[in-house]
């Protein structure tokens, strides 16, 4: 019996190490991209690249927050945090959402100002293109690694980082199209294409807003203990034919970081021995854990008895 808890502890420790390594790699990638984009953006005067640099700078702060949150969430439950520290991951995701929305305010303001003033001269040179292509390559690699780790360990903090890097792939592609338009403007005799860089920056901001709203809604749901969609119903269906149980009276679900806390009540026939009722609870717990690997399950068994007659 002692081997199972040890195995669970080893699995959790291995998962925490993997999440920490992935989060640290994300932080290093953000440092590289932020410095490169900022330098090239200032040199070429490209608002598209500068908006990407601002986005990456906030991704850098968010990646640091993610690394801290993953390490904090790995701490075991204690007297003050009986349900563990998983909410730190949800809090980190909400913090990243606010940072992303703050970036959009600056991008919208600067882009509209440039469009109103007729645009600004952008040097669409080889370094500008190389920077954007580098950004796409790094972002694509990191988003895939983060997404895999997020799915494997049910980590909202890593999911938030993965969304950031995947968003950067699309926004960098928009900036790349803007640079191509700047190059093509004099050759095609279409000076209006010189404003494409500012338009591309607006495209970046719109993508970031869309992703931020999705991420923020999910983080808030978990922080306020909103029941994950259809999870309670699915658990009730899983337990419909548990031996020595006649019904599932209540299923309550809440998520804290990667852990799904499940509190449910089984109804057993009144004449079922205690040992069989306990076995029914074990079966119910095993089924929920099989469906949700990171579930913390508490099963309460009640007898199926008629309510007493009203003496009045």
């Amino acid at each position: 019996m002692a081997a199972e808890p040890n195995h669970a502890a080893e699995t959790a420790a291995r998962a925490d190490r993997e999440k920490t390594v992935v989060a640290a790699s994300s932080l290093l990638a953000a440092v590289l991209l932020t410095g490169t984009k900022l330098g090239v953006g200032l040199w070429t005067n490209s608002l598209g690249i500068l908006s990407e640099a601002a986005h990456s700078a906030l991704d850098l702060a968010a990646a640091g927050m993610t690394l801290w949150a993953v390490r904090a969430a790995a701490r075991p439950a204690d007297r003050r945090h009986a349900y563990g520290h998983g909410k730190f991951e949800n809090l980190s995701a909400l913090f990243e959402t606010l940072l992303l929305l703050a970036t959009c305010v600056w991008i919208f303001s600067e882009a509209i100002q440039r469009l109103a003033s007729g645009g600004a001269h952008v040097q669409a040179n080889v370094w500008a293109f190389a920077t954007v292509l580098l950004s796409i390559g790094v972002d694509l690699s990191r988003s895939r690694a983060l997404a895999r780790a997020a799915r494997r360990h049910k980590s909202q903090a890593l999911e938030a980082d993965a969304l950031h890097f995947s968003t950067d792939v699309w926004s960098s592609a928009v900036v790349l199209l803007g640079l191509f338009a700047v190059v093509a403007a004099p050759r095609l005799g279409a000076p209006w294409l010189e404003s494409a860089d500012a338009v591309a920056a607006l495209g970046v901001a719109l993508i970031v807003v869309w992703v931020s709203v999705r991420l923020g809604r999910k983080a808030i749901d978990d922080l306020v203990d909103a029941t994950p969609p259809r999870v309670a119903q699915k658990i009730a269906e899983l337990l419909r034919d548990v031996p020595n149980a006649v019904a599932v009276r209540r299923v309550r679900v809440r998520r804290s970081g990667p852990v799904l806390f499940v509190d449910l009540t089984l109804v057993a026939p009144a004449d079922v021995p205690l040992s069989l009722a306990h076995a029914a609870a074990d079966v119910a717990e095993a089924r929920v854990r099989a469906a949700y690997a990171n579930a913390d399950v508490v099963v309460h068994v009640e007898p199926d008895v008629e309510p007493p007659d009203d003496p009045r």
Side-chain angles (χ1 to χ4, degrees):
M1 295 297 292
E4 184 175 346
N6 289 338
H7 176 70
E10 291 173 3
T11 301
R14 187 164 55 249
D16 292 336
R17 285 194 298 271
E18 182 178 346
K19 290 194 293 183
T20 299
V21 169
V22 172
S25 300
S26 173
L27 181 62
L28 292 176
V31 171
L32 170 66
L33 292 179
T34 301
T36 303
K37 290 177 183 179
L38 180 61
V40 175
L42 291 173
W43 179 27
T44 62
N45 198 32
S46 168
L47 180 59
I49 295 179
L50 285 174
S51 68
E52 282 287 280
H55 188 183
S56 293
L58 290 183
D59 280 351
L60 174 58
M65 179 73 173
T66 298
L67 181 59
W68 169 81
V70 166
R71 293 173 65 88
R75 297 202 302 265
D78 53 35
R79 185 174 299 177
R80 292 189 59 198
H81 304 88
Y83 290 95
H85 299 79
K87 291 289 187 184
F88 281 110
E89 290 204 17
N90 309 126
L91 187 62
S92 170
L94 182 60
F95 174 75
E96 293 184 38
T97 299
L98 297 176
L99 285 178
L100 284 170
L101 292 176
T103 310
C104 296
V105 173
W106 176 81
I107 295 175
F108 276 122
S109 174
E110 189 69 19
I112 292 173
Q113 182 178 344
R114 286 200 179 190
L115 289 172
S117 62
H121 179 64
V122 176
Q123 298 182 42
N125 56 29
V126 65
W127 291 105
F129 284 99
T131 299
V132 177
L133 290 173
L134 172 66
S135 174
I136 291 175
V138 173
D139 289 337
L140 190 60
S141 172
R142 296 316 313 151
S143 65
R144 288 180 175 178
L146 286 162
R148 284 196 300 268
R151 286 193 300 269
R152 186 178 302 117
H153 304 299
K154 308 296 181 183
S155 171
Q156 192 174 93
L158 294 183
E159 181 186 5
D161 243 10
L163 280 174
H164 280 171
F165 279 95
S166 62
T167 300
D168 287 349
V169 172
W170 292 105
S171 60
S172 294
V174 171
V175 172
L176 189 63
L177 289 175
L179 290 174
F180 275 119
V182 170
V183 171
R187 299 181 181 182
L188 298 177
W192 57 270
L193 283 176
E194 294 182 359
S195 298
D197 181 65
V199 175
L202 287 175
V204 171
L206 290 174
I207 293 172
V208 173
V209 168
W210 176 67
V211 173
S212 297
V213 170
R214 289 179 54 203
L215 178 62
R217 183 184 300 119
K218 185 173 182 179
I220 291 173
D221 282 347
D222 286 348
L223 284 170
V224 300
D225 290 335
T227 301
R230 286 188 49 81
V231 172
Q233 180 181 348
K234 181 178 178 180
I235 290 175
E237 292 172 355
L238 286 172
L239 307 180
R240 185 170 296 171
D241 59 347
V242 171
N244 298 308
V246 296
V248 180
R249 181 162 292 169
R250 183 184 64 182
V251 178
R252 294 194 299 181
V253 180
R254 65 189 293 266
R255 189 179 293 279
S256 179
V259 181
L260 185 72
F261 289 93
V262 181
D263 178 6
L264 62 93
T265 300
L266 283 182
V267 179
D271 57 350
V272 165
L274 180 60
S275 59
L276 294 181
H278 182 73
D282 288 343
V283 170
E285 181 177 349
R287 288 189 182 182
V288 175
R289 288 183 180 277
Y292 301 95
N294 292 330
D296 185 306
V297 187
V298 176
V299 181
H300 176 64
V301 180
E302 293 182 351
D304 184 19
V305 295
E306 294 293 332
D309 293 334
D310 190 336
R312 293 176 294 179

